[in-house]
Amino acid sequence: MSQTSPTIRVDQPGGAEAMHLVDLQVGEPGPGEIRIRHHACGLNFIDVYQRAGVYALPMPLSLGMEGAGVVEAVGEGVTHLKAGDRAAYASNPPGSYCSLRVMPAKTVVRLPDSIAFETGAAMMLKGLTAQYLLKKTLPQGGLQAGDFVLFHAAAGGVGLIACQWAKALGLQLIGTAGSDEKCALAREHGAAFTINYRSEDFAARVREITGGAGVKVVYDSIGKDTWDKSLDCLRPFGLMVSFGNASGVVPPFAIGTLGAKGSLYVTRPTLFTHIATREATQAMAEDLFAVVTSGKVSIRIGQRYALKDVAQAHRDLEARETTGCSVLLP
Ligand SMILES: NC(=O)c1ccc[n+]([C@@H]2O[C@H](COP(=O)([O-])OP(=O)(O)OC[C@H]3O[C@@H](n4cnc5c(N)ncnc54)[C@H](OP(=O)(O)O)[C@@H]3O)[C@@H](O)[C@H]2O)c1
């Protein structure tokens, strides 16, 4: 039996106005697939890159990579989920900005009863990202309690989760943010130090905070605007983790710079390599659920929008007006 679902689509890359609501037919799940009815959908900066064509994808495109809801039906070969299960995911292909969809089951996990649907929708992509950054994307010799790390956009979706998780790991997270209010929010969520990088020279402040030594790792999702100065924040042999480009993509750079600045390491990771298998996704999700249910990390939903108001949600995210996570309600 075929049903229809309101779904946000883009026909051509463009601004927030390029998104529109259409009714799409949703059929039965095929082998390895499920059909899920969303209670909430997550909003992520990657949705902006995909909408705008920074990450080029075939058009027309259904947007959205994160959601939570109830499994309605499972296809052949799906054994880890059944109809009626509460579930959540961060997943390719895009298409979570909708009420109902058929999608691959591989990266969908059961959501513990103690975690609300909105929280599940808000935290899967951002929380699994904080997980692989702080636990798997590490400098030579790893990170020990007391170590300094620099984390940009600390009051954002990934940022507020990372502040709390870093604290739980005993790290001293230095968080940057674009206003004094956002800096205060990051400190309330566990950042040991904050820097308003719109009004302060963050590299100079990092040197000051670390007694001239620099940090072992920089987690940089800002890209173009922060790249050069982020390298200046690192200790010798430090690791530059470039995991996003909210201000624009990092331009090509001379590799010799890494030698001159102290034999630095650089990586450009994405969550989707980390959640390439069901086993890896399940293990990372269990780690995330454990830290959230323990109360060490709470998921702050700073904004809620009706699905039809998705353009406003994108405008707010791009204008740096959001804090924490945002959800869309179908
Ligand atoms: N590679 C991966 O696996 C992966 C996975 C998830 C997310 N990410 C990246 O992580 C970052 C955070 O994602 P999120 O969804 O949680 O978003 P977010 O942090 O809630 O929003 C982005 C933040 O970036 C800051 N920013 C600085 N310059 C900006 C500019 N020119 N335009 C817009 N924002 C700017 C703003 O905070 P301030 O005002 O405080 O500067 C803004 O709130 C994004 O870059 C995203 O692409 C990467």
Side-chain angles (χ1 to χ4, degrees):
M1 187 190 65
S2 177
Q3 309 175 61
T4 61
S5 166
T7 302
I8 301 295
R9 288 218 117 180
V10 178
D11 291 330
Q12 290 298 326
E17 70 289 346
M19 294 180 287
H20 54 268
L21 194 63
V22 294
D23 267 328
L24 290 187
Q25 293 288 326
V26 182
E28 294 303 316
E33 292 182 333
I34 60 158
R35 190 172 68 233
I36 184 167
R37 185 168 294 277
H38 290 139
H39 284 232
C41 320
L43 180 74
N44 289 282
F45 220 92
I46 191 169
D47 309 340
V48 172
Y49 306 141
Q50 293 180 349
R51 185 211 72 213
V54 176
Y55 298 166
L57 292 176
M59 298 278 159
L61 173 68
S62 298
L63 280 177
M65 310 203 76
E66 192 178 38
V70 175
V71 176
E72 275 196 356
V74 305
E76 193 189 317
V78 176
T79 53
H80 68 289
L81 294 166
K82 60 179 187 328
D85 280 349
R86 302 173 81 251
Y89 65 87
S91 179
N92 262 321
S96 72
Y97 287 5
C98 64
S99 317
L100 187 69
R101 75 183 290 202
V102 167
M103 64 177 295
K106 196 174 75 171
T107 48
V108 183
V109 294
R110 289 182 61 186
L111 184 66
D113 288 344
S114 59
I115 300 180
F117 287 119
E118 286 191 8
T119 306
M123 77 180 189
M124 290 302 288
L125 199 147
K126 299 162 207 81
L128 294 177
T129 298
Q131 200 275 354
Y132 87 72
L133 290 175
L134 294 172
K135 297 221 173 158
K136 300 182 185 174
T137 315
L138 302 174
Q140 293 287 304
L143 287 172
Q144 283 78 43
D147 279 345
F148 287 106
V149 305
L150 177 63
F151 207 105
H152 289 308
V158 179
L160 285 184
I161 298 174
C163 287
Q164 299 170 78
W165 211 330
K167 185 176 182 191
L169 294 169
L171 304 173
Q172 301 200 72
L173 181 145
I174 305 172
T176 60
S179 71
D180 292 346
E181 293 72 24
K182 286 186 179 185
C183 283
L185 190 65
R187 286 196 303 279
E188 279 164 29
H189 285 77
F193 299 89
T194 52
I195 306 170
N196 179 342
Y197 51 9
R198 291 218 215 200
S199 60
E200 294 177 272
D201 175 341
F202 73 81
R205 275 289 289 140
V206 165
R207 290 283 159 195
E208 220 172 85
I209 292 166
T210 60
V215 296
K216 283 188 176 176
V217 52
V218 176
Y219 296 104
D220 187 333
S221 63
I222 307 301
K224 183 168 71 65
D225 287 357
T226 46
W227 170 262
D228 284 328
K229 278 198 176 174
S230 288
L231 294 180
D232 291 335
C233 296
L234 285 163
R235 290 172 27 155
F237 307 109
L239 174 65
M240 172 70 173
V241 181
S242 175
F243 73 103
N245 20 259
S247 69
V249 294
V250 175
F253 67 99
I255 199 158
T257 311
L258 303 179
K261 290 186 187 278
S263 303
L264 303 178
Y265 293 78
V266 174
T267 184
R268 204 314 180 182
T270 98
L271 173 64
F272 299 101
T273 320
H274 287 275
I275 57 171
T277 66
R278 201 191 103 55
E279 293 70 27
T281 308
Q282 187 66 40
M284 287 171 67
E286 279 169 18
D287 198 22
L288 174 63
F289 295 154
V291 81
V292 169
T293 51
S294 75
K296 289 179 184 157
V297 170
S298 69
I299 305 300
R300 179 187 158 94
I301 299 176
Q303 300 71 221
R304 289 176 173 80
Y305 304 88
L307 181 64
K308 66 176 177 43
D309 297 329
V310 65
Q312 190 58 48
H314 274 226
R315 287 191 187 104
D316 290 349
L317 187 60
E318 290 177 272
R320 305 169 72 167
E321 282 172 6
T322 63
T323 55
C325 303
S326 306
V327 289
L328 303 172
L329 302 171

